[in-house]
């Protein structure tokens, strides 16, 4: 019981960390901590319990009955929708309330890239996430069954690798260069995409799911930039869009699963996350504000929010 509790607590924490990436570089720390606490304590458990708490999703019968006469229900093995799409659409609402970083979009409508400071560190971070995903998905088998765990490990690996390939190839076609950041997000997109059906889809299906997820994340990042929705790490695209895709893919590629059920639940969970997050973030904004000043944003949140310089020997603030 306690093991299941801490495992689910990590899922809840993951939903909040998805939002943190999307609102980075311009949010007040105090406001985000309050938002994350309320999101994890009150909002996430509601939608999570719809499935993992024996709620209405697990008995949804829109897709008919299985061979044993039981409702097919909704299927999300490790949380493509219940964790990732939830976090992605909660992040979308938060970003819409918060607004873009200074200088991200010019007055004539152009997108001005704000580059990450260290791509090698980003690469290491993604590889750490990939490794951690074996706990995320493998642990969702909820047993030490060698066949079940190893099967999930392989589908997870194939989808991640295919996601990288899909993102790199499409970014090469659209942007004329094999963009590293797109490739890294492609790995995460493949991981998010396979999470819903890692134990029920075949190996070839896992590759297809990953390839499509990798392509989707490139298109989604470009799409949100056109809408002037500033997401520094592509969290909305990786977790929101690819979480939806992965959940729908279960109804497409897995036997005895209902696409109708998957569609209904994706809409229900994503809409709930978006609306609840929008209301919560707006209330916090009205009470205490959610955004740092322009001066603090320009100078750096390491100084304004923490009173420390991340790179004291290389910043103007050091002078």
């Amino acid at each position: 019981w306690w093991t299941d509790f801490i495992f689910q607590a990590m899922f809840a924490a993951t939903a909040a960390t998805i939002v943190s990436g999307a609102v980075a570089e311009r949010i007040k720390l105090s406001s985000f901590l309050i938002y994350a606490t309320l999101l994890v304590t009150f909002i996430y458990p509601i939608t999570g319990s719809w499935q993992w708490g024996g709620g209405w999703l697990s008995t949804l019968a829109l897709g008919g009955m299985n061979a044993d006469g039981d409702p097919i229900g909704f299927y999300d093995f490790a949380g493509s929708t219940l964790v990732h799409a939830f976090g992605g659409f909660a992040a979308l609402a938060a970003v819409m309330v918060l607004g873009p970083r200074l200088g991200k979009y010019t007055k004539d409508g152009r997108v001005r890239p704000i580059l990450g400071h260290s791509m090698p560190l980003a690469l290491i971070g993604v590889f750490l996430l990939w490794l951690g995903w074996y706990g995320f998905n493998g642990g969702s088998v909820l047993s030490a069954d060698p066949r079940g765990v190893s099967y999930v490990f392989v589908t997870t690996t194939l989808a991640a690798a295919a996601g990288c390939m899909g993102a790199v190839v499409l970014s090469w076609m659209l942007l004329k260069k094999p963009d590293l950041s797109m490739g890294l997000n492609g790995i995460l997109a493949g991981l998010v995409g396979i999470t819903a059906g890692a134990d029920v889809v075949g190996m070839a299906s896992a590759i297809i799911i990953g390839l499509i997820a990798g392509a989707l994340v490139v298109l989604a990042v470009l799409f949100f930039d056109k809408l002037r929705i500033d997401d520094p790490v592509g969290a909305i695209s990786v977790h929101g869009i690819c979480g939806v895709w992965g959940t729908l893919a279960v109804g497409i590629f897995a036997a005895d699963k209902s696409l109708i059920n998957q569609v209904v639940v994706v809409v229900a969970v994503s809409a709930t996350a978006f609306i609840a997050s929008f209301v919560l973030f707006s209330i916090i904004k009205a009470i205490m504000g959610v955004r740092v000043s322009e001066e603090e944003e320009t100078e750096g949140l390491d100084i304004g929010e923490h009173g420390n310089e991340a790179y004291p020997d290389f910043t103007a603030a050091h002078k």
Side-chain angles (χ1 to χ4, degrees), residues 104-171:
K104 175 64 177 178
Y105 305 109
T106 63
K107 293 181 179 181
D108 59 2
R110 290 185 296 110
V111 178
R112 176 177 169 269
I114 301 177
L115 303 178
H117 100 283
S118 174
M119 294 312 295
L121 283 180
L123 177 65
I124 292 170
V126 169
F127 281 170
L128 288 172
L129 281 170
W130 191 341
L131 177 64
W133 228 279
Y134 294 120
F136 198 95
N137 282 1
S140 292
V141 176
L142 301 180
S143 76
D145 171 44
R147 185 188 183 283
V149 173
S150 60
Y151 189 93
V152 168
F153 280 2
V154 176
T155 56
T156 298
T157 303
L158 290 174
C164 182
M165 292 294 294
V168 167
V169 170
L170 187 59
S171 68

Side-chain angles (χ1 to χ4, degrees), residues 43-51 55-58 60 62 74 76 80-90 240 243-244 247-248 259-277:
I43 302 173
Y44 173 84
I46 293 174
T47 55
S49 67
W50 289 350
Q51 172 72 8
W56 65 278
L57 302 186
S58 59
L60 194 63
L62 296 176
F74 165 71
D76 190 353
S80 282
T81 281
L82 295 171
V83 177
H84 295 283
F86 175 93
F89 282 92
V244 168
T247 308
L248 299 181
L259 181 58
I260 297 175
N261 284 346
Q262 303 298 105
V263 171
V264 169
V265 176
V266 160
V267 173
V269 173
S270 300
T272 300
F274 179 85
I275 294 170
S277 176

Side-chain angles (χ1 to χ4, degrees), residues 200-216:
V200 294
V201 302
M203 299 303 168
S205 297
I207 295 173
I208 295 171
I209 290 169
L211 281 170
I212 294 175
L216 278 175

Side-chain angles (χ1 to χ4, degrees), residues 4-314:
D4 189 50
F5 166 77
I6 199 65
F7 194 65
Q8 290 293 333
M10 295 304 100
F11 276 19
T14 298
T17 63
I18 291 168
V19 182
S20 70
V23 299
E25 300 185 350
R26 73 270 203 207
I27 192 170
K28 288 183 178 179
L29 177 63
S30 56
S31 299
F32 178 75
L33 291 176
I34 293 172
Y35 167 84
T37 300
L38 295 175
L39 184 79
V40 169
T41 305
F42 298 105
I43 302 173
Y44 173 84
I46 293 174
T47 55
S49 67
W50 289 350
Q51 172 72 8
W52 291 322
W56 65 278
L57 302 186
S58 59
T59 58
L60 194 63
L62 296 176
M65 304 292 180
N66 60 23
D68 297 325
D70 299 321
I72 291 177
F74 165 71
Y75 196 82
D76 190 353
F77 174 63
S80 282
T81 281
L82 295 171
V83 177
H84 295 283
F86 175 93
F89 282 92
L92 176 60
V95 169
M96 291 175 67
V97 175
L98 185 62
R101 290 167 291 173
L102 295 176
K104 175 64 177 178
Y105 305 109
T106 63
K107 293 181 179 181
D108 59 2
R110 290 185 296 110
V111 178
R112 176 177 169 269
I114 301 177
L115 303 178
H117 100 283
S118 174
M119 294 312 295
L121 283 180
L123 177 65
I124 292 170
V126 169
F127 281 170
L128 288 172
L129 281 170
W130 191 341
L131 177 64
W133 228 279
Y134 294 120
F136 198 95
N137 282 1
S140 292
V141 176
L142 301 180
S143 76
D145 171 44
R147 185 188 183 283
V149 173
S150 60
Y151 189 93
V152 168
F153 280 2
V154 176
T155 56
T156 298
T157 303
L158 290 174
C164 182
M165 292 294 294
V168 167
V169 170
L170 187 59
S171 68
W172 208 334
M173 294 169 60
L174 297 179
L175 307 175
K176 310 307 179 186
K177 295 289 183 181
D179 189 277
L180 175 60
S181 64
M182 290 293 191
L184 297 180
N185 269 342
I187 292 173
L188 300 180
L191 291 167
V192 170
I194 197 60
T195 291
D199 65 328
V200 294
V201 302
M203 299 303 168
S205 297
I207 295 173
I208 295 171
I209 290 169
L211 281 170
I212 294 175
L216 278 175
V217 79
V218 174
L219 297 174
V221 167
L222 298 176
F223 173 75
F224 284 119
D225 260 343
K226 286 188 176 182
L227 294 182
R228 302 174 74 88
I229 294 176
D230 183 19
D231 178 0
V233 300
I236 300 168
S237 303
V238 168
H239 299 277
I241 302 302
C242 294
V244 168
W245 157 242
T247 308
L248 299 181
V250 173
I252 298 171
F253 294 102
D256 301 324
K257 304 303 176 190
S258 166
L259 181 58
I260 297 175
N261 284 346
Q262 303 298 105
V263 171
V264 169
V265 176
V266 160
V267 173
V269 173
S270 300
T272 300
F274 179 85
I275 294 170
S277 176
F278 192 92
V279 171
L280 175 60
F281 214 73
S282 297
I283 291 174
I284 295 173
K285 179 180 180 180
I287 294 174
M288 58 186 298
V290 294
R291 184 156 185 154
V292 300
S293 67
E294 291 190 9
E295 180 182 359
E296 184 177 338
E297 184 176 342
T298 302
E299 188 178 45
L301 273 62
D302 53 336
I303 301 166
E305 293 293 293
H306 302 281
N308 289 282
E309 295 181 46
Y311 304 96
D313 294 329
F314 301 97

